[in-house]
Each structure stands twice: as C-alpha cells, then as structure tokens.
C-alpha cells in the first residue's frame, strides 16, 4: 500500500509498505479522508512536542471498515471513524474515566504511525459508527471533539461570557461548542480573515482583533466591565497564554487547550487575586466525539464550513508546506483517497 511519511522536519516522502494483517482486538480501515491539523503542521515544522521521526502523520480520519476482531456490532463496508488516542485501560487516568490523558497514551500520527496510508489498523475499541455522516464530516469529528472537550472542561454555562483566544481550527471548534452551550462567545485573534469566518460562518457575535485593539479594554466593554468568566486558550503561544490571565473575570476559569513547548510562566499576583481556576484540556473522550456527531446530525454544526482546501493523496507532498502560510487562508485542508 502507498504511504506518506514525514522523515525529518520539512521533508515528506512517499513509499510502499505491506498492507496490515489483522491482529486480535484490532480493526483495519480503508482510509477515505484525512484532515490536516495543527499537530501535523507543527510536526512538519519541527515544533511539535511529544514527537519523533520518521512518522506517518494523520489522525483526523474516516474510511470504510475492511475487517475487525472484537467489534461484533460493526460490519465490513460501513463508514467509520475512530478515536485516535489509544489508551492502556489500566492506569489511574483510564480507571477514573479519563482515557484521553492515559499515562501510556499512544496518539495515532504522533506516537504511532497515522492515517496517511491506504489501510490503517486501529484498536477495535476505538471505532465509531458513521451514523449516516459523510466521509468529510467523519474526518472532522476529532478536531471538533477537542473543542467540545475544552468547553466541557470549562463547564460553560448558558449566558456567561466565554473568550476564546485563537481562531485556528481548534479554536473554531471551541467557539462553536461554547455557542451551542449557550454562552456569549468572544473570538480573539490577530487574523482578520479568521475573525470574519467566525462572524459570517459560525455566527459569533463578538470578535476582537488583538493586533489592532486593546484586548483587555475590548473584553471589558463587551462584558459590561465584568470580563469573561471563562477564557480558553487555543493558540499554544506563551505570550498569548500569559496575556490571557489579564482577561479573566475574578473567580473565573482558564482552560489551556493550546500547547506550547516551554515552561508555563504566569503572573502569580494576577492569577492569585482572582482566585482563578486553571485547567489543561487534552484530547477528547468518547462522550465528546458522540456530542460532536449529534451536533452534526442535528445541523447545529455544519462541517462543510471548515473545508477550505482539498487535494488527492498523491498531491499532498506538493501542497503541504503551503498550508502553513496564513496568507493562504487555510481553515481545514482535506485529503481524498
């Protein structure tokens, strides 16, 4: 089968490898779509934590189930996606209902080879039925689930102000699910095109351009002087994360979805005086995946909004580097097999 491997930062290589043979407790998916996410782009740049080379990228995927062991409710030929965070099932996190942060986690396309292949073998326990969703929609469930999980971590309540810092693909999912939760949502970014997308495609009422406005003053005005009770960072930028502490209402919750490589350095007085709650949000759970799929089925989320670029598998190497450039306006690049 054909494969595409990131051999070193900045280098992709097509190759051939044997089609996988079914293992006990596993399933084989014929890949139909792969979405490109920030993890893939950061791996290509050489800035992704928890990463080693060479690696087959890709974990936003959908396809047809070829065969499976230990998945009696699934049928060969049906459309599926999977939860690409393969957990051990035995550690403290798994035992307490948090397999998304398993101590032995193996993320598809990060710790193990991913979906930029014709056929991919995954644990049968990770499978999700397509439930009538298109291959495009199924490949978008995972990034949206990360956003849904961040919103659930924040325990967003109807009517409260939620500021989302960073309107990249993950931030857009956070914005959508905060809106679905009933919040008054504020998008903060430095890219006017992304902010226009928030207003025109996602119906986000409040946007702040951090390159042109004083963010703290804008948030103060929008919230009638209170500031947002929830701030969620989706940038992974240390500077943006540090600034976010100044945007939070007293007694508020701050959730870090974005991940930066270095130390987390905060102003202790700014954090302490607010009696703030600080949380990280990693990956997502089956509950989040199912929430996203239901939102797609009901029409609350339109997955077609997100796909701005599309190429065939044999064209990926030629286009991949261009997807990093903000000037190209990429929200989600989708690969067809």
């Amino acid at each position: 089968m054909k494969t595409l491997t990131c051999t070193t930062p900045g280098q992709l290589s097509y190759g051939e490898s044997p089609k996988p043979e079914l293992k006990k407790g596993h399933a084989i998916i014929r890949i139909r779509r792969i979405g490109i996410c920030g993890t893939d782009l950061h791996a290509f740049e050489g800035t992704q934590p928890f990463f080693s080379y060479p690696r087959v990228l890709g974990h936003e995927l959908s396809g047809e189930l070829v065969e499976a062991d230990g998945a009696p409710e699934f049928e060969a030929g049906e459309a599926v996606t999977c939860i690409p965070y393969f957990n051990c099932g035995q550690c403290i996190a798994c035992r307490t209902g948090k397999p998304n942060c398993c101590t032995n986690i193996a993320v598809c396309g990060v710790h193990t080879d991913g979906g930029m292949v014709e056929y991919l073998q995954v644990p049968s326990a990770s499978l999700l039925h397509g439930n009538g969703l298109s291959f495009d929609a199924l490949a978008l469930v995972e990034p949206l689930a990360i956003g849904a999980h961040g919103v659930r971590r924040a325990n967003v309540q109807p009517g409260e102000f939620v500021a989302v810092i960073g309107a990249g693909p993950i931030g857009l999912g956070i914005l959508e699910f905060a809106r679905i939760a009933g919040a008054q949502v504020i998008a903060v970014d430095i890219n006017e095109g992304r902010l226009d997308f928030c207003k025109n495609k996602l119906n986000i009422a409040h946007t702040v351009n951090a390159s042109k406005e004083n963010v703290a003053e804008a948030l103060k005005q929008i919230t009638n002087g209170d500031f947002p009770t929830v701030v969620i960072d989706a940038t992974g930028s240390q500077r943006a994360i540090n600034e976010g502490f100044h945007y939070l209402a007293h007694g508020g919750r701050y959730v870090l979805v974005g991940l930066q490589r270095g130390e987390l350095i905060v102003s202790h007085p700014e954090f302490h005086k607010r009696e703030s709650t600080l949380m990280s949000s990693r990956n997502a759970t089956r509950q989040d995946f199912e929430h996203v799929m239901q939102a797609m089925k009901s029409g609350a989320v339109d997955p077609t909004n997100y796909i701005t670029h599309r190429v065939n598998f044999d064209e990926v190497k030629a286009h991949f580097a261009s997807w990093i450039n903000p000037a190209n306006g990429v929200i989600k690049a989708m690969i067809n097999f």
Side-chain angles (χ1 to χ4, degrees):
M1 65 176 180
K2 295 178 182 178
T3 64
L4 180 61
T5 303
C6 187
T7 54
T8 60
Q11 296 294 322
L12 296 171
S13 177
Y14 285 103
E16 298 276 343
S17 65
K19 179 181 174 181
E21 296 183 4
L22 186 66
K23 298 190 297 185
K24 182 176 176 60
H26 285 70
I28 295 175
I29 301 171
R30 182 181 182 186
I31 300 297
R32 290 300 193 188
R33 299 287 189 277
I34 289 283
I36 299 300
C37 77
T39 298
D40 303 318
L41 298 175
H42 295 155
F44 183 78
E45 291 178 305
T47 59
Q48 175 62 31
F50 314 128
F51 199 84
S52 62
Y53 304 85
R55 180 67 66 216
V56 176
L57 304 177
H59 60 266
E60 301 178 1
L61 60 90
S62 65
E64 298 169 356
L65 183 63
V66 177
E67 55 182 336
D69 175 76
E73 69 277 22
F74 287 85
E75 296 182 1
E78 71 170 288
V80 295
T81 186
C82 75
I83 302 170
Y85 329 120
F86 307 146
N87 61 291
C88 72
Q90 304 297 323
C91 72
I92 180 63
C94 291
R95 298 197 312 272
T96 54
K98 295 181 70 67
N100 55 299
C101 61
C102 168
T103 60
N104 303 300
I105 201 163
V107 178
C108 182
V110 178
H111 306 106
T112 64
D113 283 342
M116 289 194 190
V117 294
E118 291 184 272
Y119 296 90
L120 179 68
Q121 184 153 220
V122 302
S124 294
S126 71
L127 290 174
L128 288 161
H129 293 286
N131 288 330
L133 294 172
S134 68
F135 287 128
D136 282 350
L138 289 172
L140 287 165
V141 172
E142 190 274 341
L144 291 173
I146 290 177
H149 186 71
V151 169
R152 185 157 65 90
R153 286 281 286 155
N155 192 27
V156 170
Q157 299 299 306
E160 70 177 325
F161 282 101
V162 175
V164 180
I165 316 301
I170 297 301
L172 294 174
I174 298 169
L175 288 159
E176 283 245 77
F177 283 92
R179 174 181 55 78
I180 289 169
Q184 300 185 70
V185 188
I186 309 162
V188 181
D189 202 280
I190 60 173
N191 185 318
E192 194 63 39
R194 290 285 175 89
L195 295 174
D196 287 341
F197 184 93
C198 293
K199 289 182 284 189
N200 299 327
K201 293 290 188 179
L202 305 186
N203 297 315
I204 302 302
H206 305 288
T207 60
V208 178
N209 189 323
S211 68
K212 299 178 180 179
E213 304 174 64
N214 182 309
V215 176
E217 285 300 318
L219 293 176
K220 184 178 180 179
Q221 182 175 355
I222 292 168
T223 61
N224 302 311
D226 288 338
F227 288 93
T229 49
V230 174
V231 174
I232 305 178
D233 178 81
T235 68
S237 159
Q238 182 170 314
R239 179 179 177 182
I241 290 169
N242 290 355
E243 288 294 323
F245 286 93
H246 298 267
Y247 306 154
L248 187 64
H250 283 235
R253 293 100 70 201
Y254 192 11
V255 182
L256 305 183
V257 177
L259 176 65
Q260 51 99 10
R261 289 179 67 95
E263 295 178 348
L264 179 61
I265 303 170
V266 306
S267 168
H268 195 169
E270 291 297 326
F271 177 66
H272 197 93
K273 75 181 183 182
R274 289 169 168 80
E275 198 178 56
S276 309
T277 299
L278 176 64
M279 293 177 276
S280 61
S281 178
R282 188 179 186 193
N283 300 325
T285 67
R286 182 173 291 271
Q287 177 181 346
D288 302 309
F289 277 73
E290 291 173 348
H291 180 37
V292 169
M293 295 175 79
Q294 181 56 44
M296 289 179 173
K297 291 282 285 186
S298 70
V301 170
D302 182 357
T304 63
N305 281 335
Y306 291 87
I307 302 171
T308 54
H309 295 65
R310 187 185 297 273
V311 300
N312 293 324
F313 182 56
D314 59 4
E315 303 172 307
V316 175
K317 182 177 178 179
H319 289 270
F320 200 95
S322 71
W323 297 333
I324 297 172
N325 186 348
N328 291 324
V330 179
I331 300 294
K332 181 61 62 179
M334 187 67 69
I335 300 169
N336 290 356
F337 283 75

